[in-house]
Amino acid sequence: MAAQEGRGLKRRPWDEEGFRCPYLDTINRMVLDFDFEKACSVTGNNFNVYACLVCGKYFQGRGKHTQAYTHALQEGHHVFMNLGDGRTYCLPDSYEVVDSSLRDIQAMLDPKFDRETLATLDSKPVYARGVDGSDYMPGLIGLNNIKNTDFVNVIVQSLVRVPPVRDFFLLPENYSLFKSSLVREFGALVRKIWSPHNFKGQVSPHELLQAAMHESGNRFKIGEQADPMDFLAWLLNALHTALGGTKKPGSSIIQRAFQGTVRVTTVKADEEDDEAESRTLPFLYLTVDVPPAPLFKDALERNIIPQVPLFALLNKFDGQTCQEMMNGDRRKYVITKLPPYLIVHVKRFSKNTQQFVEKNPTIVNFPVRNLEMGLYTDLSEEDKDKGVNTKYHLMSSVQHDGAPETGAYRAFVHFKANDQWYELQDLHCNGVHPQLISVSESYIQVYDGVYGRPRMCELVRMRSEAIQRALRLIQRDDARDMDAAW
Protein backbone atom coordinates (compact mmCIF):
# COMPACT_ATOMS: atom_id res chain seq x y z
CA MET A 1 0.00 0.00 0.00
CA ALA A 2 2.83 2.38 0.93
CA ALA A 3 4.58 1.50 -2.33
CA GLN A 4 1.46 2.37 -4.31
CA GLU A 5 1.23 5.75 -2.53
CA GLY A 6 4.89 6.38 -3.32
CA ARG A 7 4.26 5.66 -6.98
CA GLY A 8 1.26 7.99 -6.90
CA LEU A 9 3.37 10.85 -5.54
CA LYS A 10 6.15 10.41 -8.10
CA ARG A 11 7.31 13.81 -9.32
CA ARG A 12 6.95 14.74 -12.97
CA PRO A 13 10.21 15.15 -14.93
CA TRP A 14 9.88 18.94 -15.19
CA ASP A 15 9.51 19.18 -11.42
CA GLU A 16 12.94 17.65 -10.89
CA GLU A 17 15.84 19.95 -10.09
CA GLY A 18 18.11 20.49 -13.09
CA PHE A 19 15.46 19.51 -15.64
CA ARG A 20 15.90 21.16 -19.06
CA CYS A 21 13.08 21.28 -21.58
CA PRO A 22 13.93 18.83 -24.40
CA TYR A 23 12.21 21.02 -27.00
CA LEU A 24 14.38 24.14 -26.64
CA ASP A 25 16.43 23.01 -29.63
CA THR A 26 13.33 23.20 -31.86
CA ILE A 27 13.11 27.00 -31.48
CA ASN A 28 13.63 28.75 -34.82
CA ARG A 29 14.81 32.32 -34.28
CA MET A 30 14.82 33.03 -38.02
CA VAL A 31 11.00 33.08 -38.14
CA LEU A 32 10.36 35.12 -35.00
CA ASP A 33 8.90 38.58 -35.57
CA PHE A 34 7.22 40.58 -32.81
CA ASP A 35 6.61 43.76 -34.82
CA PHE A 36 3.07 42.96 -35.94
CA GLU A 37 -0.23 43.08 -34.12
CA LYS A 38 -0.23 40.60 -31.28
CA ALA A 39 -3.44 38.80 -32.24
CA CYS A 40 -4.29 35.12 -32.60
CA SER A 41 -3.76 33.92 -36.16
CA VAL A 42 -6.95 31.83 -35.92
CA THR A 43 -9.48 33.83 -33.92
CA GLY A 44 -8.06 37.34 -34.31
CA ASN A 45 -8.37 37.99 -30.57
CA ASN A 46 -5.62 40.12 -29.06
CA PHE A 47 -5.62 39.09 -25.39
CA ASN A 48 -3.63 36.28 -23.73
CA VAL A 49 -1.72 35.62 -26.96
CA TYR A 50 1.29 33.33 -27.25
CA ALA A 51 3.91 33.04 -29.97
CA CYS A 52 4.94 29.60 -31.13
CA LEU A 53 8.74 29.78 -31.01
CA VAL A 54 8.98 27.02 -33.61
CA CYS A 55 6.95 28.50 -36.47
CA GLY A 56 6.47 32.09 -35.29
CA LYS A 57 2.66 32.09 -35.47
CA TYR A 58 0.46 33.64 -32.77
CA PHE A 59 -2.17 31.67 -30.88
CA GLN A 60 -4.53 32.43 -28.04
CA GLY A 61 -4.35 30.74 -24.61
CA ARG A 62 -2.46 27.65 -23.46
CA GLY A 63 -5.07 25.64 -21.59
CA LYS A 64 -6.94 22.66 -23.04
CA HIS A 65 -9.19 23.46 -26.02
CA THR A 66 -7.26 26.68 -26.79
CA GLN A 67 -5.69 27.47 -30.15
CA ALA A 68 -2.12 27.15 -28.82
CA TYR A 69 -2.87 23.80 -27.18
CA THR A 70 -4.42 22.46 -30.39
CA HIS A 71 -1.46 23.71 -32.45
CA ALA A 72 0.96 21.91 -30.13
CA LEU A 73 -0.89 18.61 -30.58
CA GLN A 74 -1.42 18.88 -34.34
CA GLU A 75 1.98 20.25 -35.39
CA GLY A 76 4.24 18.95 -32.65
CA HIS A 77 5.38 22.48 -31.79
CA HIS A 78 5.83 22.67 -28.04
CA VAL A 79 7.48 25.95 -26.98
CA PHE A 80 5.26 29.03 -26.59
CA MET A 81 6.06 32.51 -25.24
CA ASN A 82 3.47 34.84 -23.75
CA LEU A 83 3.59 38.09 -25.72
CA GLY A 84 2.53 40.10 -22.69
CA ASP A 85 5.13 39.13 -20.10
CA GLY A 86 7.67 37.00 -22.00
CA ARG A 87 7.09 33.87 -19.86
CA THR A 88 7.59 30.63 -21.78
CA TYR A 89 5.70 27.35 -21.54
CA CYS A 90 5.91 23.86 -23.00
CA LEU A 91 2.61 22.54 -24.36
CA PRO A 92 0.61 20.37 -24.02
CA ASP A 93 2.23 19.62 -20.62
CA SER A 94 1.85 23.33 -19.73
CA TYR A 95 4.94 23.65 -17.54
CA GLU A 96 6.91 26.89 -17.45
CA VAL A 97 10.30 26.85 -19.16
CA VAL A 98 12.94 28.87 -17.36
CA ASP A 99 16.22 28.83 -19.26
CA SER A 100 18.96 31.38 -19.93
CA SER A 101 18.90 30.53 -23.64
CA LEU A 102 15.56 32.36 -23.91
CA ARG A 103 16.91 35.72 -22.76
CA ASP A 104 17.74 36.94 -26.27
CA ILE A 105 14.16 36.28 -27.41
CA GLN A 106 12.72 38.00 -24.34
CA ALA A 107 15.05 40.96 -24.94
CA MET A 108 13.85 41.24 -28.53
CA LEU A 109 10.20 41.05 -27.44
CA ASP A 110 10.60 43.70 -24.75
CA PRO A 111 13.88 45.68 -24.97
CA LYS A 112 14.89 47.27 -21.68
CA PHE A 113 17.17 50.22 -20.97
CA ASP A 114 18.64 51.82 -17.86
CA ARG A 115 19.79 55.39 -17.29
CA GLU A 116 23.45 54.42 -17.48
CA THR A 117 22.90 53.09 -21.00
CA LEU A 118 20.99 56.20 -22.05
CA ALA A 119 23.93 58.37 -21.02
CA THR A 120 26.17 56.66 -23.59
CA LEU A 121 23.84 56.49 -26.62
CA ASP A 122 25.20 59.69 -28.20
CA SER A 123 28.85 59.11 -27.33
CA LYS A 124 29.51 55.39 -27.71
CA PRO A 125 28.52 53.62 -30.97
CA VAL A 126 27.23 50.08 -30.53
CA TYR A 127 27.49 47.39 -33.19
CA ALA A 128 25.12 44.43 -33.25
CA ARG A 129 24.50 41.38 -35.45
CA GLY A 130 21.20 39.73 -36.33
CA VAL A 131 20.54 36.00 -36.40
CA ASP A 132 20.80 36.16 -40.19
CA GLY A 133 24.38 37.46 -39.91
CA SER A 134 23.55 41.04 -40.90
CA ASP A 135 25.31 43.85 -39.03
CA TYR A 136 23.51 46.95 -37.80
CA MET A 137 23.88 49.85 -35.39
CA PRO A 138 21.11 50.35 -32.80
CA GLY A 139 19.41 53.66 -33.49
CA LEU A 140 20.31 53.44 -37.16
CA ILE A 141 18.13 50.73 -38.66
CA GLY A 142 15.56 50.58 -41.43
CA LEU A 143 11.77 50.67 -41.15
CA ASN A 144 9.45 48.60 -43.30
CA ASN A 145 7.38 50.52 -45.83
CA ILE A 146 4.21 48.50 -45.37
CA LYS A 147 2.41 50.27 -48.21
CA ASN A 148 2.90 53.98 -48.88
CA THR A 149 3.95 54.53 -45.27
CA ASP A 150 7.27 56.26 -45.96
CA PHE A 151 5.66 59.48 -44.65
CA VAL A 152 5.55 57.84 -41.21
CA ASN A 153 9.02 56.32 -41.45
CA VAL A 154 10.82 59.62 -42.06
CA ILE A 155 9.08 61.31 -39.12
CA VAL A 156 9.85 58.44 -36.77
CA GLN A 157 13.49 58.41 -37.90
CA SER A 158 13.71 62.15 -37.17
CA LEU A 159 12.08 62.06 -33.74
CA VAL A 160 13.85 59.00 -32.32
CA ARG A 161 17.20 60.83 -32.26
CA VAL A 162 16.01 63.88 -30.33
CA PRO A 163 17.65 62.99 -26.97
CA PRO A 164 14.97 64.09 -24.46
CA VAL A 165 12.17 62.52 -26.51
CA ARG A 166 14.16 59.35 -27.17
CA ASP A 167 15.27 58.95 -23.54
CA PHE A 168 11.73 59.55 -22.25
CA PHE A 169 10.25 56.79 -24.40
CA LEU A 170 13.12 54.35 -23.82
CA LEU A 171 12.03 54.10 -20.17
CA PRO A 172 8.42 52.76 -20.06
CA GLU A 173 8.05 53.77 -16.42
CA ASN A 174 7.85 57.37 -17.66
CA TYR A 175 4.49 56.71 -19.33
CA SER A 176 3.21 53.45 -17.84
CA LEU A 177 0.30 55.27 -16.17
CA PHE A 178 -1.06 56.56 -19.49
CA LYS A 179 -3.47 54.23 -21.29
CA SER A 180 -3.05 55.65 -24.80
CA SER A 181 -2.22 53.00 -27.39
CA LEU A 182 -0.40 55.69 -29.41
CA VAL A 183 1.96 56.43 -26.51
CA ARG A 184 2.50 52.74 -25.83
CA GLU A 185 3.24 51.80 -29.44
CA PHE A 186 5.42 54.83 -30.11
CA GLY A 187 7.46 53.94 -27.03
CA ALA A 188 7.71 50.31 -28.12
CA LEU A 189 8.96 51.34 -31.57
CA VAL A 190 11.56 53.73 -30.11
CA ARG A 191 12.88 50.93 -27.90
CA LYS A 192 13.08 48.52 -30.83
CA ILE A 193 14.94 51.01 -33.01
CA TRP A 194 17.57 51.52 -30.29
CA SER A 195 17.71 47.89 -29.14
CA PRO A 196 20.94 45.89 -29.67
CA HIS A 197 18.91 42.66 -29.38
CA ASN A 198 17.03 42.70 -32.70
CA PHE A 199 17.23 39.54 -34.77
CA LYS A 200 17.58 41.63 -37.93
CA GLY A 201 18.65 45.16 -38.80
CA GLN A 202 15.12 46.42 -39.43
CA VAL A 203 11.82 46.79 -37.61
CA SER A 204 8.24 47.37 -38.68
CA PRO A 205 6.10 50.33 -37.53
CA HIS A 206 2.94 48.26 -38.09
CA GLU A 207 1.54 48.55 -34.56
CA LEU A 208 2.29 52.29 -34.40
CA LEU A 209 0.49 52.73 -37.72
CA GLN A 210 -2.56 50.89 -36.41
CA ALA A 211 -2.60 53.04 -33.28
CA ALA A 212 -2.22 56.22 -35.36
CA MET A 213 -5.01 55.11 -37.68
CA HIS A 214 -7.32 54.55 -34.73
CA GLU A 215 -6.37 57.70 -32.79
CA SER A 216 -6.60 59.95 -35.88
CA GLY A 217 -10.02 58.65 -36.95
CA ASN A 218 -8.55 57.08 -40.12
CA ARG A 219 -6.92 60.34 -41.14
CA PHE A 220 -3.67 58.40 -41.61
CA LYS A 221 -4.10 54.95 -43.11
CA ILE A 222 -1.88 52.09 -44.19
CA GLY A 223 -1.85 52.10 -47.98
CA GLU A 224 -2.65 55.79 -48.44
CA GLN A 225 0.18 58.27 -48.94
CA ALA A 226 0.00 61.35 -46.69
CA ASP A 227 2.00 64.49 -46.03
CA PRO A 228 4.72 63.86 -43.39
CA MET A 229 4.33 67.42 -42.11
CA ASP A 230 0.64 66.82 -41.48
CA PHE A 231 1.54 63.60 -39.70
CA LEU A 232 4.27 65.27 -37.63
CA ALA A 233 1.98 68.10 -36.52
CA TRP A 234 -0.76 65.63 -35.59
CA LEU A 235 1.64 63.23 -33.84
CA LEU A 236 3.27 65.91 -31.68
CA ASN A 237 -0.10 67.24 -30.52
CA ALA A 238 -1.57 63.76 -30.04
CA LEU A 239 1.40 62.62 -27.93
CA HIS A 240 1.28 65.85 -25.93
CA THR A 241 -2.40 65.36 -25.14
CA ALA A 242 -2.09 61.63 -24.45
CA LEU A 243 0.75 62.32 -21.97
CA GLY A 244 -1.49 64.60 -19.95
CA GLY A 245 -0.19 67.80 -21.51
CA THR A 246 -2.13 71.03 -21.13
CA LYS A 247 -1.86 74.62 -22.39
CA LYS A 248 0.63 75.28 -19.61
CA PRO A 249 4.13 75.56 -21.16
CA GLY A 250 6.34 72.56 -20.54
CA SER A 251 3.51 70.28 -19.43
CA SER A 252 4.80 67.35 -21.53
CA ILE A 253 8.08 66.08 -22.93
CA ILE A 254 6.90 67.23 -26.37
CA GLN A 255 6.56 70.84 -25.26
CA ARG A 256 9.78 70.77 -23.26
CA ALA A 257 11.68 69.68 -26.36
CA PHE A 258 10.01 71.63 -29.19
CA GLN A 259 7.92 74.51 -27.88
CA GLY A 260 8.93 78.12 -28.45
CA THR A 261 6.96 81.36 -28.67
CA VAL A 262 6.48 83.93 -31.42
CA ARG A 263 5.04 87.44 -31.22
CA VAL A 264 2.53 88.17 -33.98
CA THR A 265 1.77 91.82 -34.72
CA THR A 266 -1.37 92.37 -36.81
CA VAL A 267 -2.56 95.54 -38.53
CA LYS A 268 -6.14 95.32 -39.76
CA ALA A 269 -6.80 96.11 -43.41
CA ASP A 270 -8.61 99.36 -42.62
CA GLU A 271 -6.34 100.54 -39.81
CA GLU A 272 -3.05 102.42 -39.45
CA ASP A 273 0.24 100.94 -38.23
CA ASP A 274 -0.07 102.62 -34.84
CA GLU A 275 -3.25 100.62 -34.21
CA ALA A 276 -1.46 97.28 -34.45
CA GLU A 277 -2.33 94.45 -32.08
CA SER A 278 0.33 92.07 -30.73
CA ARG A 279 -0.03 88.70 -29.11
CA THR A 280 2.47 85.99 -28.18
CA LEU A 281 1.67 82.48 -29.37
CA PRO A 282 3.34 79.11 -28.74
CA PHE A 283 4.70 77.01 -31.61
CA LEU A 284 6.08 73.50 -32.04
CA TYR A 285 7.51 74.21 -35.50
CA LEU A 286 8.18 77.18 -37.77
CA THR A 287 6.82 77.32 -41.32
CA VAL A 288 8.77 79.24 -43.97
CA ASP A 289 7.43 80.04 -47.44
CA VAL A 290 9.37 79.24 -50.59
CA PRO A 291 9.25 81.91 -53.33
CA PRO A 292 7.49 80.86 -56.57
CA ALA A 293 9.69 78.96 -58.98
CA PRO A 294 10.35 80.69 -62.36
CA LEU A 295 8.61 79.28 -65.40
CA PHE A 296 11.30 80.07 -67.98
CA LYS A 297 13.84 77.59 -69.36
CA ASP A 298 17.52 77.83 -70.18
CA ALA A 299 19.11 77.69 -73.66
CA LEU A 300 18.89 73.89 -73.69
CA GLU A 301 15.15 73.99 -72.97
CA ARG A 302 15.65 72.69 -69.45
CA ASN A 303 13.65 74.03 -66.54
CA ILE A 304 15.80 76.11 -64.25
CA ILE A 305 15.55 75.10 -60.61
CA PRO A 306 16.29 78.17 -58.49
CA GLN A 307 18.09 78.18 -55.17
CA VAL A 308 17.42 80.32 -52.14
CA PRO A 309 19.21 80.50 -48.76
CA LEU A 310 17.26 79.51 -45.67
CA PHE A 311 18.21 82.83 -44.08
CA ALA A 312 16.16 84.65 -46.74
CA LEU A 313 13.10 82.59 -45.83
CA LEU A 314 13.64 83.14 -42.11
CA ASN A 315 13.38 86.90 -42.64
CA LYS A 316 9.68 86.28 -42.15
CA PHE A 317 10.52 86.27 -38.42
CA ASP A 318 12.78 89.34 -38.29
CA GLY A 319 10.02 91.52 -36.83
CA GLN A 320 10.24 93.91 -39.80
CA THR A 321 9.10 91.93 -42.82
CA CYS A 322 5.38 92.42 -43.39
CA GLN A 323 3.15 89.68 -44.80
CA GLU A 324 -0.17 90.60 -46.36
CA MET A 325 -2.98 88.15 -45.63
CA MET A 326 -5.85 87.19 -47.93
CA ASN A 327 -8.23 89.48 -46.04
CA GLY A 328 -5.90 92.45 -46.36
CA ASP A 329 -4.47 92.28 -42.85
CA ARG A 330 -0.72 92.78 -42.46
CA ARG A 331 1.34 90.71 -40.06
CA LYS A 332 4.85 90.73 -38.65
CA TYR A 333 6.48 87.89 -36.76
CA VAL A 334 9.39 87.69 -34.35
CA ILE A 335 10.48 84.78 -32.16
CA THR A 336 10.45 85.58 -28.44
CA LYS A 337 11.58 82.20 -27.09
CA LEU A 338 13.59 79.54 -28.91
CA PRO A 339 13.03 75.86 -28.14
CA PRO A 340 15.85 73.43 -27.27
CA TYR A 341 15.10 71.60 -30.55
CA LEU A 342 13.86 73.59 -33.53
CA ILE A 343 11.65 72.14 -36.29
CA VAL A 344 11.54 74.06 -39.58
CA HIS A 345 8.88 73.29 -42.18
CA VAL A 346 9.76 74.39 -45.72
CA LYS A 347 6.35 74.83 -47.32
CA ARG A 348 6.71 73.18 -50.75
CA PHE A 349 3.22 71.91 -51.46
CA SER A 350 0.10 73.90 -52.25
CA LYS A 351 -3.19 73.41 -54.08
CA ASN A 352 -3.95 75.30 -57.29
CA THR A 353 -7.34 76.64 -58.33
CA GLN A 354 -8.30 73.16 -59.60
CA GLN A 355 -7.42 71.70 -56.17
CA PHE A 356 -4.48 69.76 -57.57
CA VAL A 357 -1.37 69.56 -55.38
CA GLU A 358 1.65 71.37 -56.80
CA LYS A 359 5.23 71.17 -55.63
CA ASN A 360 7.76 74.00 -55.55
CA PRO A 361 11.14 72.41 -56.45
CA THR A 362 13.23 75.39 -55.32
CA ILE A 363 16.36 74.20 -53.52
CA VAL A 364 16.75 75.77 -50.10
CA ASN A 365 20.39 76.08 -49.04
CA PHE A 366 20.88 75.75 -45.31
CA PRO A 367 23.82 75.28 -42.96
CA VAL A 368 24.45 71.86 -41.46
CA ARG A 369 26.09 73.52 -38.47
CA ASN A 370 25.71 76.85 -36.67
CA LEU A 371 22.34 78.08 -37.90
CA GLU A 372 22.15 81.49 -36.19
CA MET A 373 18.62 82.36 -35.11
CA GLY A 374 19.54 85.47 -33.14
CA LEU A 375 18.57 87.73 -36.05
CA TYR A 376 15.00 86.49 -35.83
CA THR A 377 14.66 86.49 -32.07
CA ASP A 378 13.68 89.22 -29.63
CA LEU A 379 14.81 87.74 -26.32
CA SER A 380 13.67 88.97 -22.93
CA GLU A 381 16.19 90.78 -20.75
CA GLU A 382 16.24 87.75 -18.46
CA ASP A 383 17.14 85.41 -21.33
CA LYS A 384 19.79 87.86 -22.53
CA ASP A 385 21.36 87.90 -19.09
CA LYS A 386 21.35 84.12 -19.03
CA GLY A 387 23.09 84.03 -22.39
CA VAL A 388 20.36 81.91 -23.98
CA ASN A 389 21.63 79.98 -26.98
CA THR A 390 20.56 81.09 -30.46
CA LYS A 391 22.67 78.69 -32.57
CA TYR A 392 21.61 75.30 -33.87
CA HIS A 393 23.15 72.26 -35.55
CA LEU A 394 21.12 70.19 -38.02
CA MET A 395 20.00 66.80 -36.68
CA SER A 396 17.83 65.52 -39.53
CA SER A 397 16.33 66.61 -42.84
CA VAL A 398 13.36 65.06 -44.62
CA GLN A 399 13.45 65.29 -48.41
CA HIS A 400 10.77 64.65 -51.03
CA ASP A 401 11.72 63.21 -54.42
CA GLY A 402 9.52 63.11 -57.50
CA ALA A 403 6.05 64.36 -58.36
CA PRO A 404 3.70 65.54 -55.59
CA GLU A 405 1.30 62.60 -55.82
CA THR A 406 3.71 59.78 -56.69
CA GLY A 407 7.00 60.81 -55.09
CA ALA A 408 8.77 59.29 -52.09
CA TYR A 409 10.30 60.56 -48.87
CA ARG A 410 13.69 59.90 -47.32
CA ALA A 411 15.48 61.20 -44.26
CA PHE A 412 19.05 62.36 -43.74
CA VAL A 413 20.08 61.94 -40.10
CA HIS A 414 23.13 62.78 -38.04
CA PHE A 415 24.28 59.93 -35.81
CA LYS A 416 25.97 61.57 -32.85
CA ALA A 417 27.73 58.46 -31.56
CA ASN A 418 30.13 58.40 -34.54
CA ASP A 419 29.51 61.95 -35.86
CA GLN A 420 28.48 60.65 -39.30
CA TRP A 421 25.54 61.39 -41.63
CA TYR A 422 23.27 58.71 -43.07
CA GLU A 423 20.49 58.48 -45.62
CA LEU A 424 17.52 56.44 -44.42
CA GLN A 425 14.86 55.40 -46.92
CA ASP A 426 12.60 52.68 -45.59
CA LEU A 427 14.82 49.57 -45.16
CA HIS A 428 17.94 51.16 -46.66
CA CYS A 429 20.62 52.90 -44.63
CA ASN A 430 23.66 54.39 -46.36
CA GLY A 431 26.38 56.84 -45.41
CA VAL A 432 26.18 60.26 -47.06
CA HIS A 433 28.35 63.37 -47.28
CA PRO A 434 26.84 66.29 -45.32
CA GLN A 435 27.50 68.73 -48.20
CA LEU A 436 24.94 66.87 -50.30
CA ILE A 437 22.25 67.38 -47.69
CA SER A 438 22.38 71.17 -47.71
CA VAL A 439 21.52 71.38 -51.44
CA SER A 440 18.60 68.93 -51.46
CA GLU A 441 14.86 69.55 -51.75
CA SER A 442 14.55 69.62 -47.98
CA TYR A 443 11.01 69.64 -46.61
CA ILE A 444 11.33 69.25 -42.82
CA GLN A 445 14.39 70.02 -40.74
CA VAL A 446 15.11 69.32 -37.07
CA TYR A 447 17.85 71.32 -35.34
CA ASP A 448 19.66 70.78 -32.07
CA GLY A 449 20.48 73.80 -29.91
CA VAL A 450 24.22 74.37 -29.37
CA TYR A 451 24.92 74.23 -25.65
CA GLY A 452 27.93 73.82 -23.42
CA ARG A 453 30.22 76.84 -23.77
CA PRO A 454 28.98 80.05 -22.12
CA ARG A 455 28.19 82.88 -24.50
CA MET A 456 30.05 86.22 -24.22
CA CYS A 457 27.37 87.93 -22.13
CA GLU A 458 27.44 84.97 -19.75
CA LEU A 459 31.22 85.25 -19.44
CA VAL A 460 30.89 88.97 -18.73
CA ARG A 461 28.29 88.27 -16.05
CA MET A 462 30.48 85.61 -14.44
CA ARG A 463 33.49 87.94 -14.40
CA SER A 464 31.39 90.77 -12.94
CA GLU A 465 30.21 88.50 -10.14
CA ALA A 466 33.79 87.45 -9.44
CA ILE A 467 34.85 91.11 -9.19
CA GLN A 468 32.02 91.86 -6.78
CA ARG A 469 33.03 88.93 -4.60
CA ALA A 470 36.63 90.15 -4.63
CA LEU A 471 35.63 93.66 -3.55
CA ARG A 472 33.67 92.27 -0.63
CA LEU A 473 36.65 90.21 0.39
CA ILE A 474 38.96 93.23 0.19
CA GLN A 475 36.70 95.04 2.59
CA ARG A 476 37.10 92.18 5.03
CA ASP A 477 40.84 92.26 4.43
CA ASP A 478 40.95 88.52 3.83
CA ALA A 479 43.69 87.99 1.29
CA ARG A 480 43.45 84.21 1.35
CA ASP A 481 39.79 84.25 0.37
CA MET A 482 40.54 86.91 -2.22
CA ASP A 483 42.98 84.62 -4.02
CA ALA A 484 40.36 81.89 -4.02
CA ALA A 485 37.76 84.19 -5.57
CA TRP A 486 40.05 85.06 -8.48
Side-chain angles (χ1 to χ4, degrees), residues 334-366:
V334 64
I335 300 167
T336 55
K337 183 176 178 60
L338 286 165
Y341 298 88
L342 177 66
I343 300 176
V344 177
H345 165 219
V346 181
K347 191 175 181 181
R348 292 191 175 277
F349 300 100
S350 60
K351 288 186 178 181
N352 59 24
T353 55
Q354 285 78 38
Q355 296 301 303
F356 289 109
V357 177
E358 294 181 337
K359 175 186 173 183
N360 188 324
T362 299
I363 293 176
V364 177
N365 303 125
F366 53 91

Side-chain angles (χ1 to χ4, degrees), residues 250-313:
S251 58
S252 75
I253 187 61
I254 301 301
Q255 285 191 346
R256 292 194 291 274
F258 300 114
Q259 190 177 69
T261 57
V262 59
R263 184 170 63 245
V264 181
T265 303
T266 303
V267 179
K268 298 294 183 180
D270 55 350
E271 295 178 354
E272 300 297 329
D273 290 351
D274 57 1
E275 300 180 37
E277 297 180 357
S278 294
R279 55 178 180 160
T280 301
L281 302 174
F283 69 84
L284 293 177
Y285 58 90
L286 296 176
T287 297
V288 294
D289 304 302
V290 183
L295 301 178
F296 57 85
K297 299 181 180 181
D298 63 8
L300 298 178
E301 292 299 311
R302 294 177 301 189
N303 286 324
I304 295 178
I305 299 178
Q307 299 188 29
V308 61
L310 178 62
F311 298 107
L313 306 186

Side-chain angles (χ1 to χ4, degrees), residues 316-335:
K316 169 183 178 180
F317 299 97
D318 63 5
Q320 302 297 323
T321 301
C322 189
Q323 284 198 329
E324 187 164 343
M325 314 307 292
M326 294 292 292
N327 61 0
D329 291 354
R330 290 163 291 159
R331 286 182 181 175
K332 296 179 182 179
Y333 304 86
V334 64
I335 300 167

Side-chain angles (χ1 to χ4, degrees), residues 57-306:
K57 294 181 179 180
Y58 295 171
F59 299 96
Q60 188 177 21
R62 62 182 176 88
K64 288 185 178 181
H65 311 299
T66 63
Q67 303 300 329
Y69 190 92
T70 302
H71 180 75
L73 293 176
Q74 291 180 343
E75 302 296 333
H77 297 174
H78 300 286
V79 190
F80 293 79
M81 179 174 287
N82 186 291
L83 295 177
D85 57 19
R87 297 175 68 176
T88 307
Y89 298 87
C90 181
L91 300 182
D93 296 317
S94 199
Y95 62 84
E96 184 173 2
V97 180
V98 179
D99 196 276
S100 59
S101 66
L102 297 171
R103 291 176 184 170
D104 62 330
I105 302 177
Q106 292 166 334
M108 183 181 74
L109 172 65
D110 184 23
K112 298 185 183 299
F113 295 82
D114 54 41
R115 297 189 184 279
E116 290 73 20
T117 302
L118 300 189
T120 65
L121 291 180
D122 289 330
S123 59
K124 183 180 179 181
V126 176
Y127 300 91
R129 174 166 293 181
V131 295
D132 58 356
S134 60
D135 297 323
Y136 69 93
M137 295 176 66
L140 202 63
I141 61 178
L143 295 175
N144 283 332
N145 185 341
I146 299 175
K147 187 178 181 183
N148 293 327
T149 56
D150 53 338
F151 73 95
V152 172
N153 292 351
V154 292
I155 295 304
V156 170
Q157 293 285 17
S158 297
L159 293 180
V160 298
R161 56 203 73 256
V162 176
V165 175
R166 175 199 64 198
D167 295 353
F168 179 88
F169 283 100
L170 285 179
L171 299 176
E173 58 264 31
N174 289 332
Y175 49 92
S176 58
L177 298 179
F178 300 101
K179 304 304 180 183
S180 167
S181 61
L182 182 69
V183 170
R184 182 177 65 252
E185 298 305 340
F186 185 78
L189 183 58
V190 174
R191 286 185 288 128
K192 288 178 181 179
I193 290 175
W194 284 95
S195 172
H197 305 295
N198 293 315
F199 285 179
K200 53 186 182 296
Q202 63 194 53
V203 296
S204 173
H206 187 269
E207 289 186 284
L208 173 64
L209 285 163
Q210 287 191 313
M213 186 167 59
H214 176 264
E215 295 285 339
S216 68
N218 288 328
R219 177 179 172 185
F220 303 103
K221 297 180 181 180
I222 297 175
E224 291 187 13
Q225 183 66 275
D227 188 327
M229 190 61 229
D230 288 345
F231 180 72
L232 174 61
W234 173 84
L235 180 63
L236 292 179
N237 283 287
L239 288 174
H240 167 72
T241 302
L243 290 169
T246 63
K247 293 183 178 181
K248 182 181 179 180
S251 58
S252 75
I253 187 61
I254 301 301
Q255 285 191 346
R256 292 194 291 274
F258 300 114
Q259 190 177 69
T261 57
V262 59
R263 184 170 63 245
V264 181
T265 303
T266 303
V267 179
K268 298 294 183 180
D270 55 350
E271 295 178 354
E272 300 297 329
D273 290 351
D274 57 1
E275 300 180 37
E277 297 180 357
S278 294
R279 55 178 180 160
T280 301
L281 302 174
F283 69 84
L284 293 177
Y285 58 90
L286 296 176
T287 297
V288 294
D289 304 302
V290 183
L295 301 178
F296 57 85
K297 299 181 180 181
D298 63 8
L300 298 178
E301 292 299 311
R302 294 177 301 189
N303 286 324
I304 295 178
I305 299 178

